Coordinates of all heavy atoms in Angstrom, one line a residue:
M7 N 10.2 6.9 -8.1 CA 9.8 5.7 -7.3 C 9.4 6.2 -5.9 O 10.0 7.0 -5.3 CB 11.0 4.8 -7.2 CG 10.9 3.6 -8.1 SD 12.2 2.4 -7.8 CE 13.6 3.3 -8.3
P8 N 8.2 5.7 -5.5 CA 7.8 6.1 -4.2 C 8.6 5.4 -3.1 O 9.2 4.3 -3.3 CB 6.3 5.6 -4.1 CG 6.3 4.5 -5.1 CD 7.3 4.8 -6.2
I9 N 8.6 6.0 -1.9 CA 9.3 5.5 -0.8 C 8.3 4.8 0.1 O 7.2 5.3 0.4 CB 10.0 6.6 0.1 CG1 11.1 7.2 -0.8 CG2 10.6 6.0 1.3 CD1 11.8 8.4 -0.1
Y10 N 8.6 3.6 0.5 CA 7.7 2.8 1.4 C 8.4 2.6 2.8 O 9.6 2.4 2.8 CB 7.3 1.5 0.8 CG 6.5 1.6 -0.5 CD1 7.1 1.6 -1.7 CD2 5.2 1.8 -0.4 CE1 6.4 1.8 -2.9 CE2 4.4 2.0 -1.6 CZ 5.1 2.0 -2.8 OH 4.3 2.1 -3.9
E11 N 7.6 2.7 3.8 CA 8.2 2.5 5.1 C 7.8 1.1 5.6 O 6.7 0.6 5.5 CB 7.7 3.5 6.1 CG 8.4 3.5 7.4 CD 7.9 4.7 8.3 OE1 6.9 5.3 8.0 OE2 8.6 5.0 9.3
Y12 N 8.8 0.4 6.2 CA 8.6 -0.9 6.7 C 8.9 -1.0 8.2 O 9.8 -0.2 8.7 CB 9.4 -1.9 6.0 CG 9.1 -2.1 4.5 CD1 9.5 -1.2 3.6 CD2 8.3 -3.1 4.1 CE1 9.2 -1.3 2.2 CE2 7.9 -3.3 2.8 CZ 8.4 -2.4 1.9 OH 8.0 -2.5 0.5
C13 N 8.3 -1.9 8.9 CA 8.6 -2.1 10.3 C 8.9 -3.6 10.5 O 8.2 -4.5 9.9 CB 7.6 -1.6 11.3 SG 6.0 -2.5 11.2
C14 N 9.9 -3.9 11.3 CA 10.3 -5.3 11.5 C 9.5 -5.8 12.8 O 9.6 -5.2 13.8 CB 11.8 -5.4 11.7 SG 12.3 -7.0 12.2
P15 N 8.8 -6.9 12.6 CA 8.1 -7.5 13.8 C 9.0 -8.1 14.8 O 8.6 -8.4 15.9 CB 7.1 -8.5 13.1 CG 7.8 -8.9 11.9 CD 8.6 -7.7 11.4
D16 N 10.2 -8.3 14.4 CA 11.1 -9.0 15.3 C 11.8 -8.0 16.2 O 11.8 -8.2 17.5 CB 12.2 -9.7 14.5 CG 12.8 -10.9 15.3 OD1 12.1 -11.6 16.0 OD2 14.0 -11.0 15.2
C17 N 12.4 -6.9 15.6 CA 13.2 -6.0 16.5 C 12.4 -4.7 16.6 O 12.8 -3.8 17.4 CB 14.6 -5.7 15.9 SG 14.5 -4.8 14.3
G18 N 11.3 -4.5 15.9 CA 10.5 -3.3 16.0 C 11.1 -2.1 15.3 O 10.6 -1.0 15.3
G19 N 12.2 -2.4 14.5 CA 12.9 -1.3 13.8 C 12.1 -0.9 12.6 O 11.4 -1.7 12.0
K20 N 12.3 0.4 12.2 CA 11.6 0.8 11.0 C 12.7 1.3 10.0 O 13.7 1.8 10.3 CB 10.7 2.0 11.3 CG 9.5 1.6 12.2 CD 8.6 2.8 12.5 CE 7.4 2.3 13.3 NZ 6.5 3.4 13.7
F21 N 12.4 1.1 8.7 CA 13.3 1.5 7.7 C 12.5 1.9 6.4 O 11.4 1.4 6.2 CB 14.3 0.5 7.4 CG 13.8 -0.9 6.9 CD1 13.8 -1.2 5.6 CD2 13.3 -1.8 7.9 CE1 13.2 -2.4 5.2 CE2 12.8 -3.0 7.5 CZ 12.8 -3.3 6.1
D22 N 13.1 2.6 5.5 CA 12.5 3.0 4.3 C 13.1 2.3 3.1 O 14.3 2.0 3.1 CB 12.6 4.5 4.1 CG 11.9 5.3 5.2 OD1 10.9 4.8 5.7 OD2 12.5 6.4 5.6
L23 N 12.3 2.1 2.1 CA 12.8 1.5 0.9 C 12.2 2.2 -0.3 O 11.0 2.6 -0.3 CB 12.4 0.0 0.8 CG 13.2 -1.0 1.6 CD1 12.7 -2.4 1.3 CD2 14.7 -0.9 1.2
L24 N 13.0 2.4 -1.3 CA 12.5 2.9 -2.6 C 12.1 1.7 -3.5 O 12.9 0.8 -3.7 CB 13.6 3.7 -3.3 CG 13.7 5.2 -3.0 CD1 15.0 5.7 -3.6 CD2 12.5 5.9 -3.5
R25 N 10.9 1.6 -3.8 CA 10.4 0.5 -4.6 C 9.5 0.9 -5.8 O 8.8 1.9 -5.7 CB 9.6 -0.5 -3.7 CG 10.3 -0.8 -2.4 CD 9.8 -2.1 -1.8 NE 10.6 -3.2 -2.2 CZ 10.5 -4.4 -1.8 NH1 9.4 -4.7 -1.0 NH2 11.3 -5.4 -2.1
R26 N 9.6 0.1 -6.8 CA 8.7 0.3 -7.9 C 7.3 -0.2 -7.4 O 7.2 -1.0 -6.5 CB 9.1 -0.5 -9.1 CG 10.4 -0.1 -9.7 CD 10.8 -1.0 -10.8 NE 12.2 -0.8 -11.2 CZ 12.6 0.2 -12.0 NH1 11.8 1.0 -12.5 NH2 13.9 0.3 -12.3
L27 N 6.3 0.3 -8.1 CA 4.9 -0.2 -7.7 C 4.8 -1.7 -7.9 O 4.1 -2.3 -7.1 CB 3.9 0.5 -8.6 CG 3.6 2.0 -8.3 CD1 2.6 2.6 -9.3 CD2 3.1 2.1 -6.9
S28 N 5.5 -2.3 -8.8 CA 5.4 -3.7 -9.1 C 6.1 -4.5 -8.0 O 6.0 -5.7 -7.9 CB 6.0 -4.0 -10.4 OG 7.4 -3.6 -10.5
Q29 N 6.9 -3.8 -7.1 CA 7.6 -4.5 -6.1 C 7.0 -4.3 -4.7 O 7.5 -4.8 -3.7 CB 9.1 -3.9 -6.0 CG 9.9 -4.1 -7.2 CD 11.3 -3.5 -7.1 OE1 11.4 -2.3 -6.8 NE2 12.3 -4.3 -7.3
V30 N 5.9 -3.6 -4.7 CA 5.3 -3.2 -3.4 C 5.0 -4.5 -2.5 O 5.2 -4.5 -1.3 CB 4.0 -2.5 -3.6 CG1 3.1 -2.4 -2.4 CG2 4.3 -1.0 -4.1
D31 N 4.5 -5.5 -3.2 CA 4.1 -6.7 -2.4 C 5.2 -7.7 -2.2 O 5.0 -8.8 -1.6 CB 2.9 -7.4 -3.1 CG 1.7 -6.5 -3.0 OD1 1.5 -5.8 -2.0 OD2 0.9 -6.5 -4.0
E32 N 6.4 -7.3 -2.7 CA 7.5 -8.3 -2.4 C 8.0 -8.1 -1.0 O 7.9 -7.1 -0.3 CB 8.6 -7.9 -3.4 CG 8.2 -8.3 -4.9 CD 9.4 -8.0 -5.8 OE1 10.5 -7.7 -5.4 OE2 9.1 -8.0 -7.0
V33 N 8.7 -9.2 -0.6 CA 9.2 -9.2 0.8 C 10.4 -8.2 1.0 O 11.2 -8.1 0.1 CB 9.7 -10.6 1.1 CG1 10.5 -10.6 2.4 CG2 8.5 -11.6 1.2
A34 N 10.3 -7.5 2.1 CA 11.4 -6.6 2.4 C 12.0 -7.1 3.7 O 11.4 -7.5 4.7 CB 10.9 -5.2 2.7
L35 N 13.3 -7.2 3.7 CA 14.1 -7.8 4.8 C 14.6 -6.7 5.7 O 15.1 -5.7 5.3 CB 15.2 -8.6 4.4 CG 14.8 -9.9 3.6 CD1 16.0 -10.7 3.2 CD2 13.9 -10.8 4.4
C36 N 14.5 -6.9 7.0 CA 15.0 -5.9 8.0 C 16.5 -5.9 7.9 O 17.2 -6.9 7.8 CB 14.6 -6.4 9.4 SG 15.4 -5.4 10.7
P37 N 17.1 -4.7 7.8 CA 18.5 -4.5 7.6 C 19.3 -4.9 8.9 O 20.5 -5.1 8.9 CB 18.7 -3.0 7.3 CG 17.5 -2.4 7.9 CD 16.4 -3.4 7.7
V38 N 18.6 -5.0 10.0 CA 19.2 -5.3 11.3 C 19.3 -6.8 11.5 O 20.3 -7.4 11.8 CB 18.5 -4.6 12.4 CG1 19.1 -5.0 13.8 CG2 18.5 -3.1 12.2
C39 N 18.1 -7.4 11.4 CA 18.1 -8.9 11.8 C 17.7 -9.8 10.6 O 17.6 -11.0 10.8 CB 17.1 -9.1 13.0 SG 15.5 -8.3 12.7
N40 N 17.5 -9.1 9.4 CA 17.3 -9.9 8.2 C 16.0 -10.7 8.3 O 15.9 -11.7 7.6 CB 18.5 -10.9 8.0 CG 18.8 -10.9 6.5 OD1 18.6 -9.9 5.8 ND2 19.3 -12.0 6.0
R41 N 15.1 -10.2 9.0 CA 13.7 -10.9 9.1 C 12.8 -10.2 8.1 O 13.0 -9.0 7.8 CB 13.2 -10.8 10.5 CG 13.9 -11.7 11.5 CD 13.5 -13.2 11.3 NE 12.0 -13.3 11.5 CZ 11.5 -13.6 12.7 NH1 12.3 -13.7 13.8 NH2 10.2 -13.7 12.8
E42 N 11.7 -10.9 7.8 CA 10.7 -10.3 6.9 C 10.0 -9.1 7.6 O 9.4 -9.4 8.7 CB 9.8 -11.3 6.4 CG 8.7 -10.8 5.4 CD 7.8 -11.9 4.9 OE1 8.2 -13.1 5.0 OE2 6.7 -11.6 4.5
A43 N 10.0 -8.0 7.0 CA 9.4 -6.8 7.6 C 8.0 -6.6 7.0 O 7.7 -7.0 5.9 CB 10.2 -5.6 7.5
R44 N 7.2 -5.8 7.7 CA 5.8 -5.5 7.3 C 5.8 -4.1 6.8 O 6.4 -3.2 7.4 CB 4.8 -5.7 8.4 CG 4.8 -7.1 8.9 CD 4.0 -7.2 10.2 NE 4.2 -8.5 10.9 CZ 3.6 -9.6 10.5 NH1 2.7 -9.5 9.6 NH2 3.8 -10.7 11.1
R45 N 5.1 -3.9 5.7 CA 5.0 -2.5 5.1 C 4.0 -1.7 6.0 O 2.9 -2.1 6.3 CB 4.5 -2.6 3.7 CG 4.4 -1.3 3.0 CD 4.4 -1.4 1.5 NE 3.4 -2.3 1.1 CZ 2.2 -1.9 0.6 NH1 1.9 -0.6 0.6 NH2 1.2 -2.7 0.2
L46 N 4.4 -0.5 6.2 CA 3.5 0.4 7.0 C 2.5 1.1 6.0 O 2.8 1.2 4.8 CB 4.4 1.5 7.7 CG 5.3 0.9 8.7 CD1 6.1 2.1 9.3 CD2 4.6 0.2 9.8
I47 N 1.4 1.5 6.6 CA 0.5 2.3 5.8 C 1.1 3.7 5.5 O 1.4 4.4 6.4 CB -0.8 2.5 6.6 CG1 -1.4 1.1 7.0 CG2 -1.8 3.3 5.8 CD1 -1.8 0.3 5.9
S48 N 1.2 4.0 4.2 CA 1.7 5.2 3.9 C 0.6 6.2 3.6 O -0.6 5.9 3.6 CB 2.6 5.1 2.6 OG 1.8 4.6 1.6
S49 N 0.9 7.5 3.4 CA 0.0 8.5 3.4 C -1.0 8.4 2.2 O -2.1 8.9 2.1 CB 0.6 9.9 3.3 OG 1.5 9.9 2.2
F50 N -0.5 7.6 1.1 CA -1.4 7.5 0.0 C -1.8 6.0 -0.1 O -2.1 5.5 -1.2 CB -0.6 7.9 -1.3 CG 0.7 7.1 -1.5 CD1 0.7 5.9 -2.3 CD2 1.9 7.5 -0.9 CE1 1.8 5.2 -2.5 CE2 3.0 6.7 -1.1 CZ 3.0 5.6 -1.9
A51 N -2.0 5.4 1.0 CA -2.4 4.0 1.0 C -3.8 3.8 0.5 O -4.5 4.7 0.3 CB -2.2 3.4 2.4
S52 N -4.1 2.5 0.3 CA -5.4 2.1 -0.3 C -6.5 2.2 0.7 O -7.6 1.6 0.5 CB -5.3 0.7 -0.9 OG -4.9 -0.2 0.1
F53 N -6.4 2.9 1.8 CA -7.5 3.0 2.7 C -8.6 3.9 2.2 O -9.7 3.9 2.8 CB -6.9 3.6 4.1 CG -6.6 2.6 5.1 CD1 -5.4 2.0 5.0 CD2 -7.5 2.2 6.0 CE1 -5.0 1.0 6.0 CE2 -7.2 1.2 6.9 CZ -6.0 0.6 6.9
A54 N -8.3 4.7 1.2 CA -9.3 5.6 0.7 C -10.6 5.0 0.3 O -11.7 5.6 0.5 CB -8.7 6.4 -0.5
R55 N -10.6 3.7 -0.1 CA -11.8 3.1 -0.6 C -12.6 2.6 0.6 O -13.8 2.2 0.4 CB -11.5 2.0 -1.6 CG -10.7 0.8 -0.9 CD -10.4 -0.3 -1.9 NE -9.6 -1.4 -1.3 CZ -10.2 -2.4 -0.7 NH1 -11.5 -2.5 -0.6 NH2 -9.5 -3.4 -0.2
D56 N -12.0 2.5 1.7 CA -12.8 1.9 2.8 C -13.8 2.8 3.5 O -14.9 2.5 3.7 CB -11.8 1.4 3.9 CG -11.0 0.2 3.4 OD1 -11.6 -0.6 2.6 OD2 -9.9 0.0 3.8
A57 N -13.3 4.0 3.8 CA -14.2 4.9 4.5 C -13.7 6.4 4.2 O -12.6 6.6 3.9 CB -14.2 4.7 6.0
G58 N -14.7 7.2 4.3 CA -14.4 8.6 4.0 C -13.5 9.3 5.0 O -12.5 9.9 4.7
G59 N -13.8 9.2 6.3 CA -13.1 10.0 7.3 C -12.3 9.2 8.2 O -11.5 9.7 9.0
V60 N -12.5 7.9 8.2 CA -11.8 7.1 9.2 C -10.3 7.0 9.0 O -9.6 6.9 9.9 CB -12.4 5.6 9.1 CG1 -11.7 4.7 10.1 CG2 -13.9 5.6 9.4
S61 N -9.9 7.1 7.7 CA -8.5 6.9 7.4 C -7.6 8.0 8.0 O -6.4 7.8 8.1 CB -8.3 6.9 5.9 OG -8.8 8.2 5.4
T62 N -8.2 9.1 8.4 CA -7.4 10.2 8.9 C -6.7 9.8 10.3 O -5.6 10.2 10.6 CB -8.2 11.4 9.2 OG1 -9.3 11.1 10.0 CG2 -8.7 12.0 7.9
S63 N -7.4 8.9 11.0 CA -6.8 8.5 12.3 C -5.7 7.5 12.1 O -4.9 7.2 13.0 CB -7.9 7.8 13.2 OG -8.4 6.7 12.5
I64 N -5.6 6.9 10.9 CA -4.6 5.9 10.6 C -3.4 6.5 9.9 O -2.3 6.0 9.9 CB -5.2 4.7 9.8 CG1 -6.4 4.2 10.5 CG2 -4.2 3.6 9.6 CD1 -7.2 3.2 9.6
G65 N -3.6 7.6 9.2 CA -2.6 8.2 8.4 C -1.4 8.7 9.3 O -1.4 8.7 10.5
G66 N -0.3 9.1 8.5 CA 0.9 9.6 9.2 C 2.0 8.6 9.1 O 3.1 9.0 9.4
G67 N 1.8 7.5 8.5 CA 2.8 6.5 8.2 C 3.4 5.8 9.4 O 4.5 5.3 9.3
S68 N 2.7 5.8 10.5 CA 3.3 5.1 11.6 C 2.6 3.9 12.0 O 2.8 3.3 13.1 CB 3.3 6.1 12.8 OG 2.0 6.5 13.1
S69 N 1.6 3.4 11.2 CA 0.8 2.3 11.6 C 1.3 1.0 10.8 O 1.7 1.1 9.7 CB -0.6 2.5 11.2 OG -1.1 3.6 12.0
C70 N 1.3 -0.1 11.5 CA 1.6 -1.3 10.9 C 0.5 -1.8 9.9 O -0.6 -1.7 10.2 CB 1.8 -2.4 11.9 SG 2.3 -4.0 11.3
A71 N 0.9 -2.3 8.7 CA 0.0 -2.6 7.7 C -0.9 -3.8 8.1 O -1.9 -4.1 7.6 CB 0.7 -2.9 6.4
T72 N -0.3 -4.6 9.0 CA -1.0 -5.8 9.4 C -1.9 -5.7 10.6 O -3.1 -6.1 10.6 CB 0.0 -6.9 9.8 OG1 0.8 -7.2 8.6 CG2 -0.7 -8.2 10.2
C73 N -1.5 -5.0 11.6 CA -2.3 -4.9 12.8 C -2.8 -3.5 13.1 O -3.5 -3.3 14.1 CB -1.4 -5.4 14.0 SG 0.0 -4.3 14.3
S74 N -2.5 -2.6 12.3 CA -3.0 -1.2 12.4 C -2.7 -0.6 13.8 O -3.3 0.2 14.3 CB -4.5 -1.2 12.2 OG -4.9 -1.5 10.9
S75 N -1.6 -1.1 14.3 CA -1.1 -0.6 15.6 C 0.1 0.2 15.4 O 0.9 0.0 14.5 CB -0.9 -1.7 16.6 OG -0.2 -1.3 17.7
S76 N 0.3 1.2 16.3 CA 1.5 2.0 16.1 C 2.8 1.3 16.7 O 3.9 1.7 16.5 CB 1.3 3.3 16.9 OG 1.0 3.1 18.3
S77 N 2.5 0.2 17.3 CA 3.7 -0.6 17.8 C 3.6 -2.0 17.3 O 3.0 -2.9 17.8 CB 3.6 -0.7 19.4 OG 2.4 -1.2 19.8
C78 N 4.2 -2.2 16.1 CA 4.0 -3.4 15.3 C 4.8 -4.5 15.9 O 4.8 -5.6 15.4 CB 4.3 -3.2 13.9 SG 6.1 -3.2 13.6
A79 N 5.5 -4.3 16.9 CA 6.4 -5.3 17.5 C 5.6 -6.5 18.1 O 6.1 -7.6 18.3 CB 7.3 -4.8 18.6
T80 N 4.3 -6.2 18.2 CA 3.4 -7.3 18.8 C 2.6 -8.0 17.8 O 1.8 -8.9 18.1 CB 2.4 -6.6 19.8 OG1 1.6 -5.7 19.1 CG2 3.2 -5.9 20.9
C81 N 2.7 -7.7 16.5 CA 1.8 -8.2 15.5 C 2.4 -9.5 14.8 O 1.9 -10.0 13.9 CB 1.4 -7.2 14.5 SG 2.8 -6.8 13.4
G82 N 3.6 -9.9 15.2 CA 4.2 -11.1 14.6 C 3.5 -12.4 15.0 O 3.8 -13.4 14.5
Ligands
ZN115 ZN1 14.5 -6.4 12.6

């Protein structure tokens, strides 16, 4: 099972979850404040289809899946 990284828009905390591919789009709750967290872009994310070289600036697993910012605390 792949590991997915999530960030909480409420407290800004990040955590990892082991999930099946079928669970990827399910809601993940922040272990700290129990709020719905957003999945971060992982190194094998679906950005590959968008552009050839642009994805390299987003890679590294530190970007918020929603706002593409490294500080997802502002994307709620
Ligand atoms: Zn939180």
Side-chain angles (χ1 to χ4, degrees):
M7 259 185 289
I9 296 176
Y10 296 95
E11 189 174 15
Y12 294 82
C13 66
C14 173
D16 202 42
C17 69
K20 295 181 180 179
F21 59 98
D22 298 324
L23 282 181
L24 274 172
R25 310 201 98 177
R26 300 177 191 275
L27 286 177
S28 59
Q29 296 177 307
V30 163
D31 292 326
E32 293 180 12
V33 169
L35 295 180
C36 173
V38 178
C39 51
N40 222 31
R41 288 283 301 269
E42 182 177 337
R44 301 169 190 276
R45 183 162 54 96
L46 298 177
I47 303 296
S48 57
S49 57
F50 59 93
S52 56
F53 264 83
R55 66 181 177 86
D56 288 331
V60 178
S61 61
T62 54
S63 61
I64 306 175
S68 62
S69 298
C70 179
T72 300
C73 64
S74 295
S75 168
S76 58
S77 57
C78 78
T80 61
C81 71

